[in-house]
Amino acid sequence: MNNYDESTYGEQIAEFYDEFYGEYDPASIELLASLPGSGPALELGIGTGRIALPLYERGVHVEGIDASEAMVSKMRAKPKGAEIEVHSGSFAEFKIDKRFRLIYVVFKLSSLLCCFL
Ligand SMILES: C[S@@+](CC[C@H](N)C(=O)[O-])C[C@H]1O[C@@H](n2cnc3c(N)ncnc32)[C@H](O)[C@@H]1O
């Protein structure tokens, strides 16, 4: 596919993403919240904050990486969405001079991948 890169999906779906996929299972938030202890968490592809925001509300210090400005701006427009630090770019290449207790990527709980550092 021509002209498709890591930002394309988000840029194209941002307007409708929460309408289609905005729900989440509260058990997934509880599971993620139980993993990093008091350490910080990093979500790869944080998107509109569907998972990161309830996790943040649950008391986890969460940051994100995302390639799509359109997706992130949807999160920024939500209550507390501007409080979450987001690093712009592709998580396939991103270098960050910080350590996280939990790095995760999630869409639905069935595709949850967690990594402890
Ligand atoms: C299906 S959405 C999931 C968003 C969020 N994790 C959730 O569960 O609602 C995928 C997100 O990953 C981002 N993304 C996809 N590939 C990426 C990459 N290589 N680097 C950074 N972000 C990427 C997209 O822009 C989009 O915001």
Side-chain angles (χ1 to χ4, degrees):
M1 195 182 300
N2 289 334
N3 302 320
Y4 192 99
D5 65 19
E6 60 274 3
S7 71
T8 307
Y9 171 81
E11 294 297 301
Q12 292 186 348
I13 203 164
E15 202 55 42
F16 314 103
Y17 184 83
D18 284 334
E19 186 183 334
F20 292 162
Y21 305 115
E23 293 180 359
Y24 62 87
D25 182 348
S28 65
I29 304 303
E30 289 308 309
L31 173 62
L32 286 168
S34 74
L35 297 175
S38 58
L42 177 69
E43 181 171 345
L44 307 182
I46 192 169
T48 63
R50 182 181 71 97
I51 297 298
L53 276 171
L55 199 55
Y56 179 71
E57 299 258 13
R58 182 72 178 58
V60 175
H61 174 93
V62 57
E63 299 181 18
I65 299 177
D66 208 288
S68 166
E69 291 299 327
M71 290 290 275
V72 173
S73 68
K74 291 292 179 188
M75 179 174 74
R76 296 259 178 263
K78 296 176 183 176
K80 300 196 175 172
E83 296 176 19
I84 294 184
E85 186 174 355
V86 178
H87 310 275
S88 292
S90 172
F91 52 64
E93 300 168 2
F94 201 79
K95 288 188 173 50
I96 186 167
D97 191 20
K98 269 185 190 175
R99 290 182 69 81
F100 293 89
R101 191 75 182 97
L102 170 72
I103 298 176
Y104 67 96
V105 57
V106 60
F107 174 44
K108 295 287 184 190
L109 189 59
S110 57
S111 59
L112 178 67
L113 172 66
C114 297
C115 176
F116 292 94
L117 296 181

